Amino acid sequence: MKYLIVANWKMNMTLPELRSYVNVIKSALIPSEREVAIAPPYTLLLPLFHMLEGSNIKIAAQNMYYEEKGAFTGEISPKHLLDAHVDYVIIGHSERRKIFGETDALIAKKLKTALSYNLIPIFCVGETLDERNTDKTFDIIVSQIENGLSLLTPQEIQNIVFAYEPVWAIGTGLNAYPAQAQEVHLFIKDLIQKKYFKTSIQNVKILYGGSVTPDNASDLMSMPDINGLLVGGASLNPEKFLGIINFKES
Ligand code: PEP
């Protein structure tokens, strides 16, 4: 299984900044056993696609709506993402849940629609600090996953990338210890396996996200059930992002 490393630029970067970023990243060698995707703001999706031509870096979106078209002012449709050559779409990021009030029910619809348009969802789940401190981490993960996947068939679930992003680790500089992340990744894998597949599944990817840097990437990636990384802040600097992409395998 190829490791997947995804940059989530959030509401950062402009067109001039994009050009210099791409110059750095395009000239670097990316190991063939690692897949890389970048999720810029919507206005940069198509420019990024054109600037990356000739490289094997994939395009990702940070969000989408679950309808194809209509009176949904300000939203973006899966068809718009396909126009921009998007492969992956982040769904259920904690900032969407918290700041924009996205519910599990809405996220479930988005996952269903994304898959029906052959977009690969990166489905984010994770607990807050308060939930971790009150021993609710696993309950939260179960409810986010079960509700989020409620409209999908096992076949569809195989086409999702999961991302464990503890909310307390996002943008805080406090990454989960590798063993802490591994514990939840294994839990997610077991949950999906038992509930939806009954047999062992090999190819479902679970990314870790939360204050990943070039300094902690190798240790995180040394865990058996961490199959890639979702990187926010550190992905805004191309040298740092390359440092993460090129983490040393132990
Ligand atoms: C994220 O927003 O998905 C994220 C992981 O952010 P950061 O790397 O900045 O913690």
Coordinates of all heavy atoms in Angstrom, one line a residue, residues 105-145:
A105 N -24.8 13.9 10.0 CA -25.8 13.6 9.0 C -25.4 14.2 7.7 O -25.5 13.6 6.6 CB -27.2 14.0 9.4
L106 N -24.9 15.5 7.8 CA -24.5 16.2 6.6 C -23.3 15.5 6.0 O -23.2 15.3 4.8 CB -24.2 17.7 6.9 CG -23.7 18.5 5.8 CD1 -24.8 18.8 4.8 CD2 -23.2 19.9 6.4
I107 N -22.4 15.2 6.9 CA -21.1 14.5 6.4 C -21.4 13.2 5.7 O -20.8 12.9 4.7 CB -20.2 14.3 7.6 CG1 -19.7 15.7 8.1 CG2 -19.0 13.4 7.4 CD1 -19.1 15.8 9.5
A108 N -22.4 12.5 6.2 CA -22.8 11.2 5.6 C -23.3 11.4 4.2 O -22.9 10.7 3.2 CB -23.9 10.5 6.4
K109 N -24.0 12.5 3.9 CA -24.5 12.8 2.6 C -23.4 13.2 1.7 O -23.3 12.8 0.5 CB -25.5 13.9 2.6 CG -26.9 13.5 3.2 CD -27.8 14.7 3.1 CE -29.1 14.4 3.9 NZ -29.9 15.6 4.0
K110 N -22.4 13.9 2.2 CA -21.3 14.4 1.4 C -20.4 13.2 1.0 O -20.0 13.1 -0.1 CB -20.4 15.4 2.2 CG -21.1 16.7 2.4 CD -20.2 17.7 3.1 CE -20.8 19.1 3.2 NZ -19.9 20.1 3.5
L111 N -20.3 12.2 1.9 CA -19.5 11.1 1.6 C -20.1 10.3 0.5 O -19.5 9.8 -0.5 CB -19.3 10.2 2.8 CG -18.4 10.7 4.0 CD1 -18.5 9.8 5.2 CD2 -16.9 10.8 3.5
K112 N -21.4 10.1 0.6 CA -22.2 9.4 -0.4 C -22.0 10.0 -1.8 O -21.7 9.4 -2.8 CB -23.7 9.3 0.0 CG -24.6 8.5 -0.9 CD -24.4 7.0 -0.5 CE -25.2 6.1 -1.4 NZ -24.9 4.7 -1.2
T113 N -22.2 11.3 -1.8 CA -22.2 12.0 -3.1 C -20.7 12.0 -3.7 O -20.6 11.7 -4.9 CB -22.6 13.5 -2.9 OG1 -23.9 13.5 -2.4 CG2 -22.6 14.3 -4.3
A114 N -19.8 12.2 -2.8 CA -18.4 12.2 -3.3 C -18.1 10.9 -4.0 O -17.6 10.9 -5.1 CB -17.4 12.5 -2.2
L115 N -18.4 9.8 -3.4 CA -18.1 8.5 -3.9 C -18.9 8.3 -5.2 O -18.4 7.7 -6.2 CB -18.5 7.4 -2.9 CG -17.5 7.3 -1.7 CD1 -18.2 6.5 -0.6 CD2 -16.2 6.7 -2.2
S116 N -20.1 8.8 -5.3 CA -20.9 8.6 -6.6 C -20.3 9.4 -7.7 O -20.6 9.1 -8.9 CB -22.4 8.9 -6.4 OG -22.5 10.3 -6.2
Y117 N -19.4 10.3 -7.4 CA -18.7 11.1 -8.5 C -17.3 10.6 -8.7 O -16.4 11.3 -9.3 CB -18.8 12.6 -8.2 CG -20.1 13.1 -8.6 CD1 -21.2 13.2 -7.7 CD2 -20.4 13.6 -9.9 CE1 -22.4 13.6 -8.1 CE2 -21.6 14.1 -10.3 CZ -22.6 14.1 -9.3 OH -23.9 14.5 -9.7
N118 N -16.9 9.5 -8.0 CA -15.6 8.9 -8.1 C -14.5 9.9 -7.5 O -13.4 9.8 -7.9 CB -15.2 8.6 -9.5 CG -15.9 7.4 -10.0 OD1 -16.2 6.5 -9.2 ND2 -16.3 7.3 -11.2
L119 N -15.0 10.7 -6.6 CA -14.0 11.5 -5.8 C -13.6 10.7 -4.6 O -14.5 10.0 -4.0 CB -14.6 12.8 -5.4 CG -14.9 13.8 -6.5 CD1 -15.9 14.8 -6.1 CD2 -13.6 14.5 -6.9
I120 N -12.4 10.6 -4.2 CA -12.0 9.8 -3.0 C -12.1 10.7 -1.8 O -11.4 11.7 -1.6 CB -10.6 9.3 -3.1 CG1 -10.5 8.5 -4.4 CG2 -10.2 8.4 -1.9 CD1 -9.0 8.0 -4.7
P121 N -13.1 10.4 -0.9 CA -13.2 11.2 0.3 C -12.1 10.9 1.3 O -11.7 9.7 1.5 CB -14.5 10.8 0.9 CG -15.2 9.9 0.0 CD -14.1 9.3 -0.9
I122 N -11.6 12.0 1.9 CA -10.7 11.8 3.1 C -11.6 12.2 4.3 O -11.8 13.4 4.5 CB -9.5 12.7 3.0 CG1 -8.7 12.3 1.7 CG2 -8.6 12.6 4.2 CD1 -7.5 13.3 1.4
F123 N -12.0 11.2 5.0 CA -13.1 11.3 6.0 C -12.4 11.5 7.4 O -11.8 10.6 7.9 CB -14.0 10.1 6.0 CG -15.0 10.0 7.1 CD1 -15.6 11.1 7.6 CD2 -15.3 8.7 7.5 CE1 -16.5 10.9 8.6 CE2 -16.3 8.5 8.5 CZ -16.9 9.7 9.1
C124 N -12.6 12.7 7.9 CA -11.9 13.1 9.2 C -12.7 12.8 10.4 O -13.9 13.2 10.5 CB -11.5 14.6 9.2 SG -10.5 15.1 7.8
V125 N -12.1 12.2 11.4 CA -12.7 12.0 12.7 C -11.7 12.3 13.8 O -10.5 12.3 13.5 CB -13.2 10.5 12.9 CG1 -14.3 10.1 11.8 CG2 -12.0 9.5 12.8
G126 N -12.2 12.6 15.0 CA -11.3 12.9 16.1 C -12.0 13.5 17.2 O -13.0 14.2 17.1
E127 N -11.4 13.3 18.4 CA -12.0 13.8 19.7 C -11.4 15.1 20.1 O -10.3 15.4 19.7 CB -11.8 12.7 20.8 CG -10.4 12.7 21.4 CD -9.3 12.2 20.6 OE1 -9.5 11.8 19.4 OE2 -8.1 12.2 21.1
T128 N -12.1 15.9 20.9 CA -11.6 17.1 21.5 C -10.8 16.7 22.7 O -10.8 15.6 23.2 CB -12.7 18.0 21.9 OG1 -13.5 17.3 22.9 CG2 -13.6 18.4 20.8
L129 N -10.1 17.7 23.3 CA -9.3 17.5 24.5 C -10.2 17.0 25.6 O -9.9 16.1 26.4 CB -8.5 18.7 24.8 CG -7.5 18.5 25.9 CD1 -6.5 17.4 25.6 CD2 -6.7 19.8 26.2
D130 N -11.3 17.7 25.8 CA -12.2 17.4 26.8 C -12.7 16.0 26.7 O -12.8 15.2 27.7 CB -13.4 18.4 26.7 CG -14.3 18.4 27.9 OD1 -13.7 18.3 29.0 OD2 -15.5 18.4 27.8
E131 N -13.0 15.6 25.5 CA -13.5 14.2 25.3 C -12.4 13.2 25.6 O -12.7 12.2 26.2 CB -14.0 14.0 23.8 CG -15.3 14.7 23.6 CD -15.6 15.1 22.1 OE1 -14.7 14.9 21.3 OE2 -16.7 15.5 21.9
R132 N -11.2 13.5 25.3 CA -10.1 12.6 25.6 C -9.9 12.5 27.1 O -9.8 11.5 27.7 CB -8.8 13.1 24.9 CG -7.6 12.2 25.4 CD -6.4 12.3 24.4 NE -6.6 11.5 23.2 CZ -6.1 10.3 23.1 NH1 -5.4 9.7 24.0 NH2 -6.3 9.6 21.9
N133 N -9.9 13.7 27.8 CA -9.7 13.7 29.2 C -10.8 13.0 30.0 O -10.7 12.7 31.2 CB -9.5 15.2 29.7 CG -8.2 15.7 29.2 OD1 -7.3 14.9 28.9 ND2 -8.1 17.0 29.2
T134 N -12.0 12.9 29.4 CA -13.1 12.2 30.1 C -13.3 10.8 29.5 O -14.4 10.3 29.6 CB -14.4 13.1 30.0 OG1 -14.6 13.5 28.7 CG2 -14.3 14.3 30.9
D135 N -12.3 10.3 28.9 CA -12.3 8.9 28.4 C -13.4 8.6 27.4 O -14.0 7.6 27.3 CB -12.5 7.9 29.6 CG -11.2 7.7 30.3 OD1 -10.2 8.0 29.7 OD2 -11.3 7.4 31.5
K136 N -13.7 9.6 26.5 CA -14.8 9.4 25.6 C -14.2 9.3 24.1 O -15.0 9.2 23.2 CB -15.7 10.6 25.6 CG -16.5 10.8 26.9 CD -17.7 11.7 26.6 CE -18.4 12.0 27.9 NZ -18.1 13.4 28.4
T137 N -12.9 9.2 24.0 CA -12.3 9.1 22.7 C -12.9 8.1 21.8 O -13.3 8.3 20.7 CB -10.7 8.9 22.8 OG1 -10.2 10.0 23.5 CG2 -10.1 8.8 21.4
F138 N -13.0 6.8 22.3 CA -13.4 5.7 21.5 C -14.9 5.8 21.2 O -15.4 5.5 20.1 CB -13.1 4.4 22.1 CG -11.5 4.2 22.2 CD1 -10.9 4.3 23.4 CD2 -10.8 4.2 21.0 CE1 -9.5 4.2 23.4 CE2 -9.4 4.1 21.0 CZ -8.8 4.1 22.3
D139 N -15.7 6.4 22.2 CA -17.2 6.6 21.9 C -17.4 7.6 20.8 O -18.2 7.4 19.9 CB -17.9 7.1 23.1 CG -17.9 6.1 24.3 OD1 -17.6 4.9 24.0 OD2 -18.1 6.5 25.4
I140 N -16.6 8.6 20.8 CA -16.7 9.7 19.8 C -16.3 9.1 18.4 O -17.0 9.3 17.4 CB -15.8 10.9 20.1 CG1 -16.3 11.6 21.4 CG2 -15.6 11.9 19.0 CD1 -17.7 12.2 21.2
I141 N -15.2 8.4 18.4 CA -14.8 7.8 17.1 C -15.9 6.8 16.6 O -16.2 6.9 15.4 CB -13.5 7.0 17.3 CG1 -12.3 7.9 17.8 CG2 -13.0 6.2 16.1 CD1 -11.8 9.0 16.8
V142 N -16.4 6.0 17.4 CA -17.5 5.1 17.0 C -18.7 5.9 16.4 O -19.1 5.6 15.3 CB -18.0 4.2 18.1 CG1 -19.2 3.4 17.7 CG2 -16.9 3.2 18.5
S143 N -19.1 6.9 17.2 CA -20.3 7.6 16.6 C -20.0 8.4 15.4 O -20.8 8.4 14.4 CB -21.0 8.4 17.7 OG -20.3 9.6 17.9
Q144 N -18.8 9.0 15.3 CA -18.5 9.7 14.0 C -18.4 8.8 12.9 O -18.9 9.1 11.8 CB -17.2 10.5 14.2 CG -17.4 11.7 15.1 CD -16.1 12.5 15.3 OE1 -15.0 12.0 15.0 NE2 -16.2 13.7 15.8
I145 N -17.8 7.6 13.1 CA -17.7 6.7 12.0 C -19.0 6.0 11.6 O -19.4 6.0 10.4 CB -16.6 5.6 12.3 CG1 -15.2 6.3 12.3 CG2 -16.6 4.5 11.3 CD1 -14.0 5.5 12.3

